[in-house]
Amino acid sequence: MVYSNEEFLMFELLAAYQSSILVLGLTGALSLLQLLVFDITAIKLKHPPGYPIESSHKNMLFRFSRAHANTNETMGVMILLFLFAALSAADPYWVNGLMIVYLVTRVLHMICYYAAWSAMRGVIFGFSLLSLIGLFVVGLMKYLSMY
């Protein structure tokens, strides 16, 4: 198969961000895991589908639901910022590193939510947020340097 110059450049660009591409897939798997944990727990607790969950961090089902929702709330932002950074050809070292930090902090955030460790959960969320801000900054720096 013969690739055009544009196709070759796209493959070359994506090759530099292989770790980030893996993080995209693993983040999707994390969200799926959280959904399954919530659904299976709701079934075991005989929680009627569609009925509200008691809004209390003492309630395990509420914590499972919020952990999944929190991941979903940041996932779209992470994808957009990764695309911005990668398409701006930001330094793959920083993009891949920040994406890995994002994934690790999301896993730790889930663990803290499940275990009801609210103070640690907040600290870890802060690191997750910093990884997203970092993605924006490295993407913006590279984008602005092109002009």
Side-chain angles (χ1 to χ4, degrees):
M1 179 176 228
V2 178
Y3 296 108
S4 69
N5 285 342
E6 292 82 15
E7 289 172 322
F8 180 76
L9 289 173
M10 183 57 71
F11 290 132
E12 191 175 288
L13 173 70
L14 292 177
Y17 300 107
Q18 285 300 304
S19 296
S20 294
I21 293 168
L22 178 60
V23 168
L24 291 173
L26 292 174
T27 302
L30 175 66
S31 182
L32 177 60
L33 172 68
Q34 292 172 338
L35 177 63
L36 291 172
V37 166
F38 171 75
D39 283 347
I40 291 168
T41 303
I43 291 167
K44 284 184 174 184
L45 294 175
K46 299 183 186 319
H47 183 81
Y51 281 81
I53 300 167
E54 177 193 355
S55 296
S56 168
H57 284 91
K58 293 178 182 178
N59 181 332
M60 177 178 56
L61 193 57
F62 176 76
R63 292 193 315 271
F64 290 178
S65 171
R66 290 305 309 151
H68 181 248
N70 287 165
T71 296
N72 284 338
E73 290 163 4
T74 63
M75 198 175 350
V77 174
M78 177 269 294
I79 292 167
L80 289 173
L81 291 175
F82 165 69
L83 288 172
F84 173 62
L87 294 175
S88 297
D91 186 339
Y93 173 83
W94 284 103
V95 174
N96 290 329
L98 289 164
M99 289 288 286
I100 291 167
V101 169
Y102 171 83
L103 177 63
V104 169
T105 57
R106 293 317 306 168
V107 170
L108 292 173
H109 182 270
M110 175 190 75
I111 292 167
C112 288
Y113 228 135
Y114 286 6
W117 298 333
S118 60
M120 184 57 75
R121 185 183 82 233
V123 170
I124 289 170
F125 174 77
F127 283 107
S128 176
L129 187 59
L130 286 174
S131 72
L132 294 175
I133 292 168
L135 276 173
F136 175 69
V137 169
V138 298
L140 185 63
M141 286 172 46
K142 183 61 176 184
Y143 182 82
L144 293 175
S145 74
M146 293 188 292
Y147 297 102

